[in-house]
Amino acid sequence: MTSALRRAAALLTVPVLLVALWWYSSANSTDFYRPPLSRILVAFRETWFGARLADDVLPSLTRLLLGYAAALLLGVAVGVAVGTSYRLRALVEPILEFLRAIPPPVLVPIIMLVAGIGDLMKVIVIVSGCVWPILLNTVEGVRNVDEILADTCRSYRVRGMARLRHLVLRSASPQIVTGARQALSIGIILMVISEMFAASSGLGFTVVQFQRGFAIPQMWSGVLLLGLLGVLLSLLFRLAERRILRWYHGIRAIEREP
Amino acid sequence: MRYERALLGLVGLAGFGAVLEVAPRIGLVPARYAPPSSRIVAALADEAGQARFWTAVLETLRSWATGLAIAVAAGVALGVLIGSVPVLREATASTIEFLRPIPSVALIPLVVVLYNPVRSTLVLVVYAAFWQVLVQVLHGVADVDPVARDTAHAYRFGRWTRVRYLVWPTALPYAVTGVRLAASVALILAVTGELIIGAPGLGQEIAVAQASDSVPQMYALVVTTGLIGLAANLVTRAGERLVLAWHPAVRREVLT
């Protein structure tokens, strides 16, 4: 009981103090650009719990989800192919190194040329950024398949889809998950950026509209919402990871015990 | 084996360039949107002859390097401090877990109204890169070998000696990984700041090229950012080898 209390205290003390500090230090703020926290919270409720939830938040999240899923499929598929074949890897490695090094936001103007300014453009932008960490981590994971396991599979004549599913993807999955985690934060960044360029709906668009219209408390509330979304998505990701990699964390925990 | 690898890589690059050259010429993709690679290279050569281009490159490099340096210094200092004091680590864990996933671009509207463009970009770069370094250093400090820690206790190492000879060597590989991740994130944010907020640099040049519809130039500038990113990766990786030359993982790699 006391240990649970102690943990709760450790978890909550600093965040509560920080929010309290923000609340009281901004309470009597007359600075136009730094409104009191109470006003931001009121704006938050008025702005986001209404039509905007369906009009702005959902389209953004849908595009993010679509782009992320496509990047996962593409990254894992290409990654497995490149990771399995030595020749293919030597052939495409320099190209991949270069393409990966391009900061994804600069591709937005180019993708706009090709795909216009609709939903397709935003999804492609998200895919173009998310795919690299997934792809490169998959390549590394597939390359580092345990040799004894690979030999065992060969002696038991485990081939084709069964080999892919039970050996290759399984042993690469911790690496793939690492890549997917990096890709998620890049995806959120690109979701916002693609909407800042040209859009008529979406979180990034709306927040920039607020900023241009000097609706400062609303703008702060948008920043707050984006932050909360980032936190929420990373929490969801961690839950999924814990399920998918339960076997892996189990092995690690056993290995670590003396 | 090594030569074969390098040769295949060159073949791949040449093939990639050839596809980009031929596809627009035979009408596979509209040349207006995707100029052939020879025209991109020509535009790049043209850019390289202009002082304006080099000023932009330097501006981008400067905001990238400044932001990265601030983030690394702050991340390492705070990481070692928080990591080696258990009370601090426990108390700040939830706050760090909460602040870290906040996407840095969410701050764009905020910094735009609070600061001028150059300062705004710097804030974004520092914010994004800082968490990468901090989290890695925290992991590293937590990874100190229990036997080594007990030994240090038994020999009555002082606080400073313990940080220098116990914590630092353990945390260094993690910190270096953090710096590598931070370097590429910092470049993304530096260019984004220029592209969206309008701080001077390559991002702004791309926005100008886009507005004036000069497509080959836009491609040339994008290629330039890619080359800078590539150089940054190579430099951080070389730095990693240099700093960690004593580390067993690096030494094993050299042996085999």
Side-chain angles (χ1 to χ4, degrees), chain B residues 64 68 129 132 177-188 232-233 236:
Chain B
W64 172 71
L68 187 62
Q132 305 279 352
T177 307
V179 172
R180 189 155 45 80
L181 293 173
S184 62
V185 171
L187 183 66
I188 294 180
N233 285 343
T236 45

Side-chain angles (χ1 to χ4, degrees), chain A residues 214-234:
Chain A
F214 289 98
I216 300 299
Q218 283 79 356
M219 181 198 86
W220 275 87
S221 79
V223 172
L224 212 58
L225 180 67
L226 282 174
L228 286 174
L229 268 183
V231 174
L232 188 72
L233 287 174
S234 86

Side-chain angles (χ1 to χ4, degrees), chain A residues 6 10-11 14-15 86-87 90-91 93 95 97 100-101 105-106 110 112 193 197 207 211 219-220 223 226 231 238, chain B residues 4-5 8-9 12 90-91 94-95 97-98 101 103 106 109-110 112 191-192 195 210 218-219 226 229-230 233 237:
Chain A
R6 239 184 67 83
L11 216 64
V14 174
Y86 170 80
R87 272 163 193 285
L91 198 65
E93 210 161 41
I95 305 171
E97 282 289 321
R100 167 185 86 134
V106 304
I110 287 186
M112 269 167 71
I193 289 178
F197 264 89
V207 176
Q211 173 223 320
M219 181 198 86
W220 275 87
V223 172
L226 282 174
V231 174
R238 215 183 312 163
Chain B
E4 192 197 329
R5 201 181 166 83
L8 276 174
E90 244 179 89
S94 59
T95 315
E97 278 308 300
F98 182 81
L110 205 60
V112 166
V191 177
T192 306
L195 198 61
Q210 183 201 13
M218 194 167 86
Y219 273 87
L230 197 62
N233 285 343
R237 242 179 271 170

Side-chain angles (χ1 to χ4, degrees), chain A residues 65-87:
Chain A
L65 213 64
L66 276 177
Y68 188 66
L72 259 180
L73 277 178
L74 191 69
V76 171
V78 178
V80 167
V82 174
T84 320
S85 155
Y86 170 80
R87 272 163 193 285

